[in-house]
Amino acid sequence: MKHLFAHFATKVSEWAGKPVIFILALIAVAIWAALGPFFDYSETWQLVINTGTTIITFLMVFVLQNAQTRDTRAIQAKLNEIILTSHAENRFIGIENLDEEELKRLDELVAKAAKGRGESEACKTSEAAKATPSKKAEARKRPVAAKGPKQKQRPLEKS
């Protein structure tokens, strides 16, 4: 049942995001508005659009939320893989599960570290910077074979 709903949610979210669907919805609203004088702008005439849009909105919230949640999880898995296979700090894996205060504190620490790097780099003279290339620049200059084989296990592989 989960896979059926996930497939359904993906297809509906792809379908609902197309410009032609927006145009069809716009046409439906225009037809409804044009029928207003014919129905004397009655409460029933208003109830038709209100009920229709409410039902569609209510159902679409669940469908789109399901698709968005799966997309977010996939992006997090990809980012985690990039972190694991790069020189980035592994402590950032799983931070999406932290509460608001912990995320705010981590954001402040990262901003402080970035600001500290910026100030220290700005203090270097251009001559000194040219004389000592950065670690990233050195890594780019090294041939691929110099790095050696990766010993890290990929998260999706079994040991």
Side-chain angles (χ1 to χ4, degrees):
M1 183 72 167
K2 278 196 302 189
H3 297 294
L4 183 63
F5 182 72
H7 181 70
F8 171 76
T10 300
K11 291 297 181 188
V12 169
S13 65
E14 288 172 4
W15 174 78
K18 295 184 185 242
V20 70
I21 301 305
F22 173 78
I23 292 169
L24 288 174
L26 193 61
I27 290 170
V29 171
I31 291 171
W32 168 81
L35 290 174
F38 181 73
F39 289 102
D40 265 344
Y41 301 103
S42 68
E43 288 183 17
T44 305
W45 172 79
Q46 293 177 25
L47 189 63
V48 167
I49 197 74
N50 289 340
T51 304
T53 56
T54 301
I55 290 170
I56 290 169
T57 302
F58 179 76
L59 295 175
M60 287 301 287
V61 165
F62 298 105
V63 169
L64 295 176
Q65 185 61 47
N66 179 272
Q68 183 180 10
T69 300
R70 283 184 294 105
D71 285 348
T72 301
R73 285 186 182 146
I75 290 169
Q76 286 302 323
K78 291 174 185 179
L79 290 173
N80 289 344
E81 175 69 5
I82 291 170
I83 290 170
L84 286 172
T85 58
S86 72
H87 296 291
E89 295 185 34
N90 289 347
R91 68 183 174 149
F92 287 100
I93 292 179
I95 64 170
E96 66 275 5
N97 298 320
L98 297 176
D99 65 24
E100 263 321 294
E101 287 212 12
E102 292 169 326
L103 278 174
K104 187 176 181 180
R105 176 75 178 132
L106 184 61
D107 187 43
E108 289 169 357
L109 289 172
V110 170
K112 186 177 179 182
K115 184 178 179 187
R117 281 186 189 166
E119 288 173 1
S120 67
E121 289 176 10
C123 292
K124 292 182 183 179
T125 63
S126 60
E127 292 171 14
K130 289 177 184 175
T132 55
S134 70
K135 289 181 182 179
K136 284 186 177 182
E138 288 177 17
R140 277 184 255 146
K141 290 179 183 176
R142 277 187 264 154
V144 177
K147 290 184 179 179
K150 288 202 175 197
Q151 298 297 322
K152 290 184 181 180
Q153 178 181 350
R154 296 186 154 236
L156 299 179
E157 293 177 351
K158 293 184 181 179
S159 50

